[in-house]
Amino acid sequence: MQARDYTYEVLKLVEAGEEPTREKLGLSKEDFIELLSDIKDDGLVDNISFSQAGNRKFIVFTNNLSLTRLGKELIRDKESGKI
């Protein structure tokens, strides 16, 4: 059985114009924030922001998300079997 590729799932939701939510992905709040933080850090999606206290992020904002060139390339590579 293959592990879920949450990054790919988020990118596909953004591509379809849907807002990714932790409920859609079945993730805890902490795991969802970490996932979106990684996606932002990797430069795959634009317009992800966070509210934080100190070093701890506790709210994620996903208004008007759009795929970057890298995000589009990751989808293409995944769907073509390159990765």
Side-chain angles (χ1 to χ4, degrees):
M1 186 171 147
Q2 244 180 336
R4 286 180 71 175
D5 186 342
Y6 290 107
T7 298
Y8 175 74
E9 289 184 42
V10 168
L11 296 180
K12 290 301 287 184
L13 286 169
V14 172
E15 182 181 55
E18 296 182 40
E19 180 180 356
T21 65
R22 66 184 186 93
E23 293 83 10
K24 287 179 185 175
L25 298 168
L27 295 172
S28 69
K29 179 180 177 181
E30 294 78 16
D31 289 342
F32 181 69
I33 289 173
E34 182 178 343
L35 173 65
L36 265 61
S37 182
D38 290 344
I39 288 171
K40 179 180 179 175
D41 291 346
D42 291 343
L44 300 174
V45 174
D46 285 327
N47 298 326
I48 296 174
S49 60
F50 301 91
S51 179
Q52 59 187 63
N55 291 334
R56 184 167 180 254
K57 297 173 181 170
F58 60 94
I59 298 175
V60 61
F61 299 98
T62 57
N63 297 331
N64 301 315
L65 294 182
S66 61
L67 295 173
T68 64
R69 180 184 52 80
L70 290 174
K72 292 174 186 175
E73 287 175 4
L74 190 143
I75 289 173
R76 185 190 68 230
D77 290 350
K78 176 92 172 166
E79 291 177 352
S80 69
K82 290 183 180 178
I83 56 171

